[in-house]
Amino acid sequence: MSCTGCCADNKLKELEKIIEKYKDIRGALIPVLHEAQELYGYLPLSVQKKIAEGLNIPLSEVYGVVTFYTQFSLNPKGKYKISVCLGTACYVKGAGEIYDKISEILNIKSGECTPDGLFSLDACRCIGACGLAPVITINEDVHGRLTVDDVPGIIQKYIDKEKEAKDQEKLVEA
Amino acid sequence: MSEFVTLTIDGKEVKAPKGATVLEAAKSAGIHIPTLCFLKDINEIGACRMCIVDVGARSFQAACAYPVSEGLNVITNSPKIRETRRVTLELILSNHDRECLTCVRSQNCELQKLAKELNVKDIRYEGENQEFPIDDLSPSIVRDPNKCVLCRRCVSVCNEVQSVGAIGVVDRGFNSTVSSPFNFALNDTPCVNCGQCIVVCPVGALYEKSSVEKVWDALANEDLHVVVQTAPAVRAALGEEFGYPIGTRVTGKMVAALKRLGFAKVFDTDTAADLTIMEEGTELVERIKNNGKLPLITSCSPGWIKFCEHNYPDMLDNLSSCKSPQNMFGAVLKSYYAEKMGIDPSKIFVVSVMPCTAKKFEAGRPELASTGYPDVDEVITTRELAQMIKEAGIDFMNLPDEQFDDPMGEATGAGVIFGATGGVMEAALRSVPYLLTGKDDENIDIKVVRGVEDFKEAELEVNGIKIKAAVVHGLGNARKLLDKIRSGEAEYHFIEVMACPGGCVNGGGQPIQPASVRNETDLRTERAKAIYEEDEAMTIRRSHQNPRVLKMYEEYFEKPGSEKSHKLLHTHYVARENYPEN
Ligand code: SF4
Ligand code: SF4
Ligand code: SF4
Ligand code: FES
């Protein structure tokens, strides 16, 4: 079962607790953002607004910090998090085109998530696997020495995997 | 006495107070160091590295942030320093939209001037040019990020001075920009349209939403009776656009120029300021006598009003219900004046010349249309008026002095001081004794409320009634005072708030002076001198003695606070959300 109303309310209460905990401490913003991100998985407008109000600082300051640190995310992350390394080695070997291809297939840009919540896409800095350039990671899986033509197949693999899991579920239910 | 240290700058021995920066010490020794982000008292963060000097450390240091010390040896000019500065500037220019010819700030641009000063002949780095959309959805402020040099002056002024925080630095590194959170249009943020960001911006990245074309169109339309009103602070600064020293009063030439531009009548907003004193003074007296909501807080400054609506919605009843002078005047022109002159109000087009960008937002508030027509049709800033005068080829310096037109004519000294912080309060205090007792006291120069201290207080006793008054300017100061009032820590009867530091003379629509001038001159003080000078020169200096205003009551409004004046001269306020829901 996916939850709606009650769950959102609970999270809000949780968030209020987090803010309360740090409220009077100097430099509260970053720890609050960390815990909020853990709670929600990302930091949408409503959450940032709540934090700004709670800590009595302008939203622009909260947003500035969220966008400054790469560990904070404005968008939900997909079940499968795709990172395309755009470090120099990968870039030289065509990571740009690979990024473009993924972006085209999934119809999302860096930092975004597909509407079904399955994939999110990020462009990242060098991940230290230059020997495999160009390289992408999907959750823990590393895919190296890619060409643009490999991309559709890789994405399809995850879609298939997801479908299998769903079918399995249905079987169990039935 | 502060302690002094001795240092050497370019081989010259220099004494400087301890705690001073190398930039200040060099300045006092007549040595010029180029700067870009630095703006005294507002932005001293050492962000742009234009001002680097050699202090004998491993790397060059930013002079605007580096403190002097005993025996420090500074070199400000060497081939390597010049080259480093030039490279820094070229990098800034490499992703700058360099269309100077069509830029609002051409010839008054700190970046352009710097490029010339540092002898940039060629931009050796071709930056990846990201193109950003221009945000022009606000009725007052336009933001063009393609011109931004990331100096952060606007962010400092909006956050620290105004405590609004509508803009900030977003993202990091090459991607960083100045923008509103979530990239909202400024119009969807708690921005109060004060324009303080515009007057500190060194380049053309922030400017007012121009109404110049609309005013030209109206002037060319023969069916319209186009009249103009000018706020008190405009005359105190317009001259700067034509080469006059800061603080020169150009009232007569300004009126002459407006007549040459083709306005049917040229009126003085000061007349409506006098009217405001009658209405607001009466409101104060009534609230005091009838235990009404106190403190009463002035409502002339539309930036302040929007700030209050966003941040202190619980205190909207403290605001005076009086419209601002600009809108009172508009309503008077489309009612009393229309009737008196036999002109159909639908044919009257009211233009205001204001030192203020927030007045543009105010003029568009839907409730400010008590005659069925907007009180004010278009607002132009002092800068836009200067633009029109130049465009029309008028030789401003050689104009004769001319007079405001009847039937509104000349106003009082009380009306003119509305242009500086403390002025509304002083004007009110010149009339309140009369409004309470029917007799004047001797006080006319109430100097305790003048000047640019953050916070001023005055006390007045009339017939055993004590009136405690306070004056603040700059919204950061307003926030401090309001928080105290909210918590019960401070108590007053009457408070004047002006959104801009120094009041309207330093409004967001005033001529832009570069950092090189602002670092040396307090614009607020210099321009205010022109205002008080005009006040002194007036024969009538109390609002309730303005014969035209008295006649207006006699012929039309009956008395202050009458039903008619409530319909035309008063308004109400709304609580505002800070950001859209989603
Ligand atoms: S901001 Fe300055 S340098 Fe840039 S285009 Fe405008 S005038 Fe030229
Ligand atoms: S107009 Fe005033 S409130 Fe709005 S962004 Fe500029 S400084 Fe901030
Ligand atoms: S908009 Fe102007 S003041 Fe603000 S950071 Fe950019 S250049 Fe500086
Ligand atoms: S760092 Fe000194 S002027 Fe910018």
Side-chain angles (χ1 to χ4, degrees), chain B residues 233-257:
Chain B
V234 176
R235 68 204 65 176
L238 179 65
E240 292 168 31
E241 292 273 357
F242 299 96
Y244 285 93
I246 295 166
T248 310
R249 175 161 61 112
V250 295
T251 320
K253 289 191 194 313
M254 173 188 73
V255 174

PDB file of all heavy atoms in Angstrom, chain B residues 233-257:
ATOM      1  N   ALA B 233      11.607  64.277  -3.465  1.00  0.00           N
ATOM      2  CA  ALA B 233      13.003  63.855  -3.561  1.00  0.00           C
ATOM      3  C   ALA B 233      13.553  63.961  -4.985  1.00  0.00           C
ATOM      4  O   ALA B 233      14.767  63.956  -5.170  1.00  0.00           O
ATOM      5  CB  ALA B 233      13.153  62.418  -3.047  1.00  0.00           C
ATOM      6  N   VAL B 234      12.666  64.062  -5.964  1.00  0.00           N
ATOM      7  CA  VAL B 234      13.133  64.095  -7.353  1.00  0.00           C
ATOM      8  C   VAL B 234      13.972  65.353  -7.608  1.00  0.00           C
ATOM      9  O   VAL B 234      15.068  65.289  -8.176  1.00  0.00           O
ATOM     10  CB  VAL B 234      11.933  64.035  -8.327  1.00  0.00           C
ATOM     11  CG1 VAL B 234      12.393  64.158  -9.777  1.00  0.00           C
ATOM     12  CG2 VAL B 234      11.148  62.747  -8.129  1.00  0.00           C
ATOM     13  N   ARG B 235      13.481  66.479  -7.138  1.00  0.00           N
ATOM     14  CA  ARG B 235      14.181  67.758  -7.353  1.00  0.00           C
ATOM     15  C   ARG B 235      15.543  67.792  -6.660  1.00  0.00           C
ATOM     16  O   ARG B 235      16.402  68.582  -7.011  1.00  0.00           O
ATOM     17  CB  ARG B 235      13.308  68.911  -6.848  1.00  0.00           C
ATOM     18  CG  ARG B 235      13.132  68.949  -5.348  1.00  0.00           C
ATOM     19  CD  ARG B 235      11.870  69.675  -4.922  1.00  0.00           C
ATOM     20  NE  ARG B 235      10.684  68.949  -5.395  1.00  0.00           N
ATOM     21  CZ  ARG B 235       9.444  69.292  -5.115  1.00  0.00           C
ATOM     22  NH1 ARG B 235       9.199  70.354  -4.381  1.00  0.00           N
ATOM     23  NH2 ARG B 235       8.444  68.582  -5.566  1.00  0.00           N
ATOM     24  N   ALA B 236      15.703  66.911  -5.669  1.00  0.00           N
ATOM     25  CA  ALA B 236      16.956  66.917  -4.902  1.00  0.00           C
ATOM     26  C   ALA B 236      18.032  66.069  -5.569  1.00  0.00           C
ATOM     27  O   ALA B 236      19.169  66.043  -5.115  1.00  0.00           O
ATOM     28  CB  ALA B 236      16.697  66.399  -3.481  1.00  0.00           C
ATOM     29  N   ALA B 237      17.672  65.350  -6.645  1.00  0.00           N
ATOM     30  CA  ALA B 237      18.657  64.445  -7.246  1.00  0.00           C
ATOM     31  C   ALA B 237      18.705  64.499  -8.766  1.00  0.00           C
ATOM     32  O   ALA B 237      19.705  64.124  -9.375  1.00  0.00           O
ATOM     33  CB  ALA B 237      18.373  63.009  -6.803  1.00  0.00           C
ATOM     34  N   LEU B 238      17.617  64.997  -9.382  1.00  0.00           N
ATOM     35  CA  LEU B 238      17.564  65.006 -10.851  1.00  0.00           C
ATOM     36  C   LEU B 238      18.784  65.694 -11.467  1.00  0.00           C
ATOM     37  O   LEU B 238      19.318  65.260 -12.486  1.00  0.00           O
ATOM     38  CB  LEU B 238      16.272  65.710 -11.311  1.00  0.00           C
ATOM     39  CG  LEU B 238      16.060  65.836 -12.816  1.00  0.00           C
ATOM     40  CD1 LEU B 238      15.896  64.472 -13.472  1.00  0.00           C
ATOM     41  CD2 LEU B 238      14.823  66.710 -13.115  1.00  0.00           C
ATOM     42  N   GLY B 239      19.256  66.750 -10.821  1.00  0.00           N
ATOM     43  CA  GLY B 239      20.403  67.501 -11.329  1.00  0.00           C
ATOM     44  C   GLY B 239      21.643  66.647 -11.551  1.00  0.00           C
ATOM     45  O   GLY B 239      22.436  66.913 -12.451  1.00  0.00           O
ATOM     46  N   GLU B 240      21.776  65.579 -10.739  1.00  0.00           N
ATOM     47  CA  GLU B 240      22.961  64.712 -10.866  1.00  0.00           C
ATOM     48  C   GLU B 240      23.075  64.131 -12.270  1.00  0.00           C
ATOM     49  O   GLU B 240      24.172  63.893 -12.765  1.00  0.00           O
ATOM     50  CB  GLU B 240      22.890  63.565  -9.846  1.00  0.00           C
ATOM     51  CG  GLU B 240      23.038  64.031  -8.409  1.00  0.00           C
ATOM     52  CD  GLU B 240      22.670  62.947  -7.390  1.00  0.00           C
ATOM     53  OE1 GLU B 240      22.860  61.754  -7.655  1.00  0.00           O
ATOM     54  OE2 GLU B 240      22.164  63.324  -6.306  1.00  0.00           O
ATOM     55  N   GLU B 241      21.926  63.890 -12.892  1.00  0.00           N
ATOM     56  CA  GLU B 241      21.925  63.304 -14.241  1.00  0.00           C
ATOM     57  C   GLU B 241      22.432  64.307 -15.276  1.00  0.00           C
ATOM     58  O   GLU B 241      22.712  63.950 -16.416  1.00  0.00           O
ATOM     59  CB  GLU B 241      20.503  62.869 -14.620  1.00  0.00           C
ATOM     60  CG  GLU B 241      19.983  61.701 -13.794  1.00  0.00           C
ATOM     61  CD  GLU B 241      20.376  60.345 -14.383  1.00  0.00           C
ATOM     62  OE1 GLU B 241      21.012  60.327 -15.460  1.00  0.00           O
ATOM     63  OE2 GLU B 241      20.047  59.324 -13.765  1.00  0.00           O
ATOM     64  N   PHE B 242      22.479  65.570 -14.891  1.00  0.00           N
ATOM     65  CA  PHE B 242      22.902  66.596 -15.852  1.00  0.00           C
ATOM     66  C   PHE B 242      24.170  67.299 -15.409  1.00  0.00           C
ATOM     67  O   PHE B 242      24.455  68.425 -15.823  1.00  0.00           O
ATOM     68  CB  PHE B 242      21.751  67.603 -16.075  1.00  0.00           C
ATOM     69  CG  PHE B 242      20.524  66.936 -16.627  1.00  0.00           C
ATOM     70  CD1 PHE B 242      19.502  66.525 -15.778  1.00  0.00           C
ATOM     71  CD2 PHE B 242      20.410  66.670 -17.991  1.00  0.00           C
ATOM     72  CE1 PHE B 242      18.386  65.879 -16.292  1.00  0.00           C
ATOM     73  CE2 PHE B 242      19.290  66.021 -18.502  1.00  0.00           C
ATOM     74  CZ  PHE B 242      18.278  65.627 -17.646  1.00  0.00           C
ATOM     75  N   GLY B 243      24.913  66.639 -14.531  1.00  0.00           N
ATOM     76  CA  GLY B 243      26.223  67.164 -14.176  1.00  0.00           C
ATOM     77  C   GLY B 243      26.254  68.126 -13.005  1.00  0.00           C
ATOM     78  O   GLY B 243      27.296  68.689 -12.700  1.00  0.00           O
ATOM     79  N   TYR B 244      25.132  68.331 -12.334  1.00  0.00           N
ATOM     80  CA  TYR B 244      25.166  69.183 -11.139  1.00  0.00           C
ATOM     81  C   TYR B 244      25.760  68.409  -9.961  1.00  0.00           C
ATOM     82  O   TYR B 244      25.619  67.185  -9.895  1.00  0.00           O
ATOM     83  CB  TYR B 244      23.746  69.625 -10.752  1.00  0.00           C
ATOM     84  CG  TYR B 244      23.172  70.695 -11.643  1.00  0.00           C
ATOM     85  CD1 TYR B 244      22.388  70.349 -12.736  1.00  0.00           C
ATOM     86  CD2 TYR B 244      23.411  72.038 -11.382  1.00  0.00           C
ATOM     87  CE1 TYR B 244      21.853  71.327 -13.561  1.00  0.00           C
ATOM     88  CE2 TYR B 244      22.873  73.022 -12.196  1.00  0.00           C
ATOM     89  CZ  TYR B 244      22.093  72.666 -13.287  1.00  0.00           C
ATOM     90  OH  TYR B 244      21.563  73.630 -14.094  1.00  0.00           O
ATOM     91  N   PRO B 245      26.384  69.109  -9.019  1.00  0.00           N
ATOM     92  CA  PRO B 245      26.899  68.419  -7.837  1.00  0.00           C
ATOM     93  C   PRO B 245      25.763  67.770  -7.045  1.00  0.00           C
ATOM     94  O   PRO B 245      24.623  68.269  -7.067  1.00  0.00           O
ATOM     95  CB  PRO B 245      27.537  69.534  -7.001  1.00  0.00           C
ATOM     96  CG  PRO B 245      27.639  70.721  -7.891  1.00  0.00           C
ATOM     97  CD  PRO B 245      26.657  70.560  -8.999  1.00  0.00           C
ATOM     98  N   ILE B 246      26.063  66.689  -6.368  1.00  0.00           N
ATOM     99  CA  ILE B 246      25.065  65.996  -5.545  1.00  0.00           C
ATOM    100  C   ILE B 246      24.530  66.964  -4.493  1.00  0.00           C
ATOM    101  O   ILE B 246      25.296  67.664  -3.847  1.00  0.00           O
ATOM    102  CB  ILE B 246      25.700  64.766  -4.869  1.00  0.00           C
ATOM    103  CG1 ILE B 246      26.109  63.767  -5.948  1.00  0.00           C
ATOM    104  CG2 ILE B 246      24.745  64.117  -3.869  1.00  0.00           C
ATOM    105  CD1 ILE B 246      27.046  62.678  -5.454  1.00  0.00           C
ATOM    106  N   GLY B 247      23.203  66.987  -4.355  1.00  0.00           N
ATOM    107  CA  GLY B 247      22.594  67.882  -3.370  1.00  0.00           C
ATOM    108  C   GLY B 247      22.156  69.212  -3.959  1.00  0.00           C
ATOM    109  O   GLY B 247      21.747  70.105  -3.222  1.00  0.00           O
ATOM    110  N   THR B 248      22.233  69.361  -5.283  1.00  0.00           N
ATOM    111  CA  THR B 248      21.760  70.603  -5.898  1.00  0.00           C
ATOM    112  C   THR B 248      20.249  70.530  -6.108  1.00  0.00           C
ATOM    113  O   THR B 248      19.745  69.547  -6.631  1.00  0.00           O
ATOM    114  CB  THR B 248      22.428  70.827  -7.274  1.00  0.00           C
ATOM    115  OG1 THR B 248      23.840  70.686  -7.143  1.00  0.00           O
ATOM    116  CG2 THR B 248      22.079  72.202  -7.835  1.00  0.00           C
ATOM    117  N   ARG B 249      19.563  71.559  -5.701  1.00  0.00           N
ATOM    118  CA  ARG B 249      18.106  71.593  -5.838  1.00  0.00           C
ATOM    119  C   ARG B 249      17.758  72.164  -7.204  1.00  0.00           C
ATOM    120  O   ARG B 249      18.193  73.261  -7.544  1.00  0.00           O
ATOM    121  CB  ARG B 249      17.561  72.476  -4.719  1.00  0.00           C
ATOM    122  CG  ARG B 249      16.106  72.754  -4.738  1.00  0.00           C
ATOM    123  CD  ARG B 249      15.680  73.223  -3.361  1.00  0.00           C
ATOM    124  NE  ARG B 249      16.380  74.451  -2.972  1.00  0.00           N
ATOM    125  CZ  ARG B 249      15.764  75.639  -2.845  1.00  0.00           C
ATOM    126  NH1 ARG B 249      14.478  75.763  -3.072  1.00  0.00           N
ATOM    127  NH2 ARG B 249      16.454  76.701  -2.473  1.00  0.00           N
ATOM    128  N   VAL B 250      17.005  71.431  -8.013  1.00  0.00           N
ATOM    129  CA  VAL B 250      16.719  71.903  -9.375  1.00  0.00           C
ATOM    130  C   VAL B 250      15.213  72.022  -9.631  1.00  0.00           C
ATOM    131  O   VAL B 250      14.751  71.794 -10.754  1.00  0.00           O
ATOM    132  CB  VAL B 250      17.367  70.984 -10.440  1.00  0.00           C
ATOM    133  CG1 VAL B 250      18.890  71.037 -10.356  1.00  0.00           C
ATOM    134  CG2 VAL B 250      16.882  69.543 -10.307  1.00  0.00           C
ATOM    135  N   THR B 251      14.449  72.409  -8.604  1.00  0.00           N
ATOM    136  CA  THR B 251      12.993  72.432  -8.717  1.00  0.00           C
ATOM    137  C   THR B 251      12.506  73.202  -9.942  1.00  0.00           C
ATOM    138  O   THR B 251      11.722  72.695 -10.745  1.00  0.00           O
ATOM    139  CB  THR B 251      12.376  73.067  -7.446  1.00  0.00           C
ATOM    140  OG1 THR B 251      13.097  72.598  -6.306  1.00  0.00           O
ATOM    141  CG2 THR B 251      10.907  72.745  -7.324  1.00  0.00           C
ATOM    142  N   GLY B 252      12.980  74.444 -10.089  1.00  0.00           N
ATOM    143  CA  GLY B 252      12.473  75.301 -11.165  1.00  0.00           C
ATOM    144  C   GLY B 252      12.771  74.746 -12.551  1.00  0.00           C
ATOM    145  O   GLY B 252      11.917  74.753 -13.448  1.00  0.00           O
ATOM    146  N   LYS B 253      13.970  74.241 -12.737  1.00  0.00           N
ATOM    147  CA  LYS B 253      14.348  73.683 -14.041  1.00  0.00           C
ATOM    148  C   LYS B 253      13.581  72.392 -14.321  1.00  0.00           C
ATOM    149  O   LYS B 253      13.211  72.105 -15.458  1.00  0.00           O
ATOM    150  CB  LYS B 253      15.854  73.410 -14.087  1.00  0.00           C
ATOM    151  CG  LYS B 253      16.701  74.674 -14.133  1.00  0.00           C
ATOM    152  CD  LYS B 253      18.136  74.325 -14.444  1.00  0.00           C
ATOM    153  CE  LYS B 253      19.096  75.466 -14.184  1.00  0.00           C
ATOM    154  NZ  LYS B 253      18.695  76.771 -14.710  1.00  0.00           N
ATOM    155  N   MET B 254      13.345  71.628 -13.279  1.00  0.00           N
ATOM    156  CA  MET B 254      12.585  70.386 -13.440  1.00  0.00           C
ATOM    157  C   MET B 254      11.165  70.701 -13.938  1.00  0.00           C
ATOM    158  O   MET B 254      10.664  70.078 -14.883  1.00  0.00           O
ATOM    159  CB  MET B 254      12.519  69.653 -12.096  1.00  0.00           C
ATOM    160  CG  MET B 254      11.627  68.434 -12.081  1.00  0.00           C
ATOM    161  SD  MET B 254      11.456  67.785 -10.395  1.00  0.00           S
ATOM    162  CE  MET B 254      10.377  69.031  -9.669  1.00  0.00           C
ATOM    163  N   VAL B 255      10.550  71.722 -13.326  1.00  0.00           N
ATOM    164  CA  VAL B 255       9.202  72.107 -13.751  1.00  0.00           C
ATOM    165  C   VAL B 255       9.241  72.580 -15.203  1.00  0.00           C
ATOM    166  O   VAL B 255       8.409  72.179 -16.034  1.00  0.00           O
ATOM    167  CB  VAL B 255       8.635  73.211 -12.828  1.00  0.00           C
ATOM    168  CG1 VAL B 255       7.297  73.720 -13.348  1.00  0.00           C
ATOM    169  CG2 VAL B 255       8.476  72.679 -11.399  1.00  0.00           C
ATOM    170  N   ALA B 256      10.232  73.389 -15.525  1.00  0.00           N
ATOM    171  CA  ALA B 256      10.347  73.899 -16.896  1.00  0.00           C
ATOM    172  C   ALA B 256      10.509  72.751 -17.887  1.00  0.00           C
ATOM    173  O   ALA B 256       9.877  72.725 -18.952  1.00  0.00           O
ATOM    174  CB  ALA B 256      11.541  74.855 -16.993  1.00  0.00           C
ATOM    175  N   ALA B 257      11.327  71.758 -17.529  1.00  0.00           N
ATOM    176  CA  ALA B 257      11.557  70.627 -18.426  1.00  0.00           C
ATOM    177  C   ALA B 257      10.265  69.850 -18.645  1.00  0.00           C
ATOM    178  O   ALA B 257       9.934  69.464 -19.769  1.00  0.00           O
ATOM    179  CB  ALA B 257      12.640  69.711 -17.855  1.00  0.00           C
TER     180      ALA B 257
END
